[in-house]
Amino acid sequence: MMAKVRKPKGAESTLDQMDLFGTPAPAAVNPPTPLRPRPPAEPAPVDLDDAALLARLADAPLSKALPLIAEAGRRRLTAAVPLLGLRLKRLAGYGLNGREPVAVLEALAAIGGPQATAIVAGLLGGVGLAGPVEVAALTAAVRLEVALDRKVLLRLLGTADAAARAAACRCVRQAEFPVIDALEKLRADPDRSVATGAVCALGRLGRPTVRADLAQLVTAAPTRETVAALASVMDHVGVDADSLVALRRAARHADLREVVLEALDGFDDAQATALAAKLRQQAVQADAA
């Protein structure tokens, strides 16, 4: 029997020894990962035809819905109104807040029509509105000339949000005594926009109690709203010298001149007629200079 040959202790085969000074073996290189082609970019809402815009509007997520909603409003796309109403209805389940309901209400106000008016009226007749969404709904109601129920209007005139109270004042269209009483109280509101809104609302209703206040507003900081409210009071209770002076000063603003002239032309009064003729003559002279 052959004896087993032992390796000397510490002796190793040259094949088993690590070559510390030789050229290292090349590292394995993974092949490059092929780039995935990018999906084609979606066309902008402005580039879509009406049918494609409506198709995307129906189920678009919030990140993509806002520009679609705005484009539907810009086009005054009547066919979009039911879809906008459905979006509001779905949002109501989670609470009407954030940018989307405001955008929907702005689009409905821009589109107009009986269905948009009914949607806004129904929304204001419910509960749960607050903050910017409530103000947006009231602003839409003004543009759409929504006739709000008296109870709804009284609730909105008494809301805690000053911006909403001011917008509610602009929604007043009928001279009902509970509403008039609420507006008279709001004349003393600490928020100036609310107090001004109440005065203008009472003026639109022809209430003589606000004629002096409106004349001051038209003199100091005239707007289309204040001029129209003062003209309404004058139409109900008669033309007076202070109001004519206020209108003459408001006519110095080029963007209000036609509004003032239209109001003066509506009065069966010699002084108002003379003032209108003088303002037109001054306008011709200014254009010729």
Side-chain angles (χ1 to χ4, degrees):
M1 184 174 182
M2 293 180 61
K4 189 174 181 180
V5 179
R6 284 187 174 185
K7 288 184 180 180
K9 189 176 181 180
E12 296 180 355
S13 168
T14 55
L15 295 177
D16 296 334
Q17 292 180 359
M18 183 179 292
D19 186 357
L20 300 178
F21 303 101
T23 303
V29 178
N30 294 326
T33 304
L35 296 177
R36 294 181 180 178
R38 292 184 179 180
E42 293 185 358
V46 70
D47 297 326
L48 298 171
D49 60 25
D50 290 352
L53 180 64
L54 293 171
R56 295 194 179 199
L57 181 61
D59 298 307
L62 175 60
S63 59
K64 297 181 179 180
L66 295 179
L68 293 169
I69 293 168
E71 181 62 19
R74 188 189 69 81
R75 296 186 194 182
R76 297 185 177 180
L77 195 56
T78 304
V81 171
L83 298 175
L84 295 172
L86 286 174
R87 294 192 74 93
L88 275 181
K89 190 174 182 179
R90 286 200 299 264
L91 289 169
Y94 302 96
L96 287 170
N97 51 61
R99 295 178 295 165
E100 184 173 350
V102 172
V104 169
L105 287 163
E106 290 173 348
L108 289 172
I111 297 170
Q115 193 172 8
T117 301
I119 291 171
V120 173
L123 191 64
L124 287 169
V127 294
L129 294 183
V133 178
E134 186 174 43
V135 174
L138 286 165
T139 302
V142 173
R143 290 186 63 180
L144 296 170
E145 298 184 355
V146 174
L148 293 175
D149 178 78
R150 180 179 65 185
K151 291 182 179 179
V152 173
L153 191 54
L154 288 172
R155 172 173 58 80
L156 294 170
L157 289 172
T159 187
D161 188 333
R165 291 199 304 277
C169 289
R170 297 173 63 199
C171 291
V172 175
R173 302 193 178 281
Q174 296 180 347
E176 298 181 282
F177 284 108
V179 175
I180 291 173
D181 290 343
L183 291 172
E184 288 286 356
K185 293 176 182 178
L186 289 179
R187 290 175 63 185
D189 196 282
D191 187 282
R192 176 175 291 185
S193 65
V194 177
T196 299
V199 168
C200 288
L202 290 166
R204 290 194 302 274
L205 299 176
R207 305 295 294 179
T209 55
V210 295
R211 177 162 58 178
D213 289 347
L214 284 170
Q216 291 179 0
L217 286 170
V218 171
T219 300
T223 64
R224 289 178 176 269
E225 186 178 12
T226 56
V227 168
L230 178 58
S232 181
V233 174
M234 295 168 67
D235 190 49
H236 279 79
V237 301
V239 175
D240 65 290
D242 289 342
S243 297
L244 287 177
V245 170
L247 290 176
R248 176 173 58 80
R249 291 178 177 173
R252 296 173 183 172
H253 300 263
D255 59 327
L256 296 176
R257 185 183 299 134
E258 289 302 320
V259 179
V260 172
L261 289 172
E262 183 180 352
L264 292 172
D265 290 340
F267 302 136
D268 184 14
D269 180 87
Q271 288 182 307
T273 301
L275 178 57
K278 184 177 181 180
L279 291 174
R280 286 190 171 93
Q281 183 180 11
Q282 290 174 348
V284 172
Q285 293 173 349
D287 293 339

